[in-house]
Amino acid sequence: TRPGNVDLGFKTKIAGEVVESHATVTVKSGTYPSEKLRVAPRMVVPSKKDQKLIAKDRILLGRAYATKTLTRFWDPPVVMPIQSVITSTFGSARVYNGKKESVHFGTDLRAPTGTQIVAPIAGQVAVARLLYYTGNTVILDHGFGMFTIYGHMSKLLVKEGEIVKKGQVMGLSGMTGRANGPHLHWGVNLHGTKIDPMVLVSALKKQG
């Protein structure tokens, strides 16, 4: 969304009556850092075989994010998936091997291989499998269109369909997929929009 004032409208039905609300939100310009990373060549220029895997992953993720779960699993406040430091922030521009450019839609946390990764809030495992770009990945469905993503793990310790509690170990950190070192990629998909996990932490902290 371009900087400036944005008008937002909300409409719902309560006890048979339509209720409307409007608000104006000011969008400010953002400044994001740029990173240059070296990864395996096939992670920048996938082969035809790898492109088929990527296509399958997209279909899988699309189906997962389209799930309409009308159960609220999350329980604020949020605990961090790992007690560590941020090594790459949300929104940073990335250049892979001097060519491939993309935007980092997640927050990376330093995590030596084998570090336990826990669920920040309760949820149901929507995805727990090896994906091309994010490697061994867990995606939690927290209900009502909120999903969180945990990538590059060396080992998965939960299964699809499983209900996990806040603080439960989901897997061990690693560097599978497109990664140049062991770390945890932590992402949030909220109603189809990727947001900064640290914003989610702040928002749910206020509710706790």
Side-chain angles (χ1 to χ4, degrees):
T1 302
R2 294 181 180 276
N5 293 330
V6 179
D7 293 323
L8 299 179
F10 173 82
K11 181 186 294 185
T12 189
K13 184 177 289 186
I14 300 177
E17 294 186 11
V18 175
V19 178
E20 292 188 58
S21 181
H22 297 272
T24 300
V25 176
T26 300
V27 178
K28 298 181 179 180
S29 297
T31 301
Y32 301 96
S34 178
E35 302 172 321
K36 295 181 179 180
L37 303 174
R38 302 295 301 182
V39 296
R42 65 185 287 259
M43 289 295 169
V44 180
V45 184
S47 65
K48 290 184 178 180
K49 181 179 179 180
D50 288 337
Q51 288 176 18
K52 292 181 180 180
L53 295 176
I54 295 170
K56 289 182 179 180
D57 287 350
R58 286 175 179 162
I59 294 173
L60 171 72
L61 294 174
R63 289 175 177 171
Y65 292 138
T67 302
K68 306 296 183 182
T69 302
L70 300 181
T71 298
R72 170 179 163 162
F73 291 108
W74 76 86
D75 48 348
V78 177
V79 299
M80 294 296 289
I82 179 176
Q83 294 300 322
S84 186
V85 297
I86 295 175
T87 57
S88 182
T89 58
F90 179 90
S92 57
R94 287 187 164 180
V95 179
Y96 291 99
N97 297 358
K99 298 179 181 180
K100 176 75 172 181
E101 294 186 4
S102 67
V103 176
H104 184 224
F105 287 120
T107 295
D108 285 351
L109 299 170
R110 181 175 295 148
T113 300
T115 304
Q116 292 184 338
I117 305 301
V118 305
I121 45 179
Q124 184 171 26
V125 181
V127 174
R129 63 180 71 188
L130 180 66
L131 302 179
Y132 188 80
Y133 284 120
T134 53
N136 284 319
T137 303
V138 170
I139 297 178
L140 295 181
D141 178 358
H142 303 287
F144 291 94
M146 183 166 70
F147 299 83
T148 55
I149 304 96
Y150 311 85
H152 306 305
M153 288 194 267
S154 60
K155 186 176 183 180
L156 301 176
L157 298 176
V158 292
K159 297 180 180 180
E160 293 175 2
E162 181 179 348
I163 304 295
V164 299
K165 298 179 180 180
K166 177 165 57 177
Q168 180 177 334
V169 178
M170 301 182 294
L172 305 179
S173 63
M175 55 178 293
T176 54
R178 187 164 68 183
N180 67 341
H183 70 280
L184 171 67
H185 170 85
W186 183 21
V188 177
N189 188 309
L190 183 62
H191 298 292
T193 298
K194 296 175 182 177
I195 67 172
D196 186 350
M198 302 313 296
V199 172
L200 178 68
V201 170
S202 178
L204 293 189
K205 184 177 181 180
K206 297 177 182 178
Q207 294 184 27

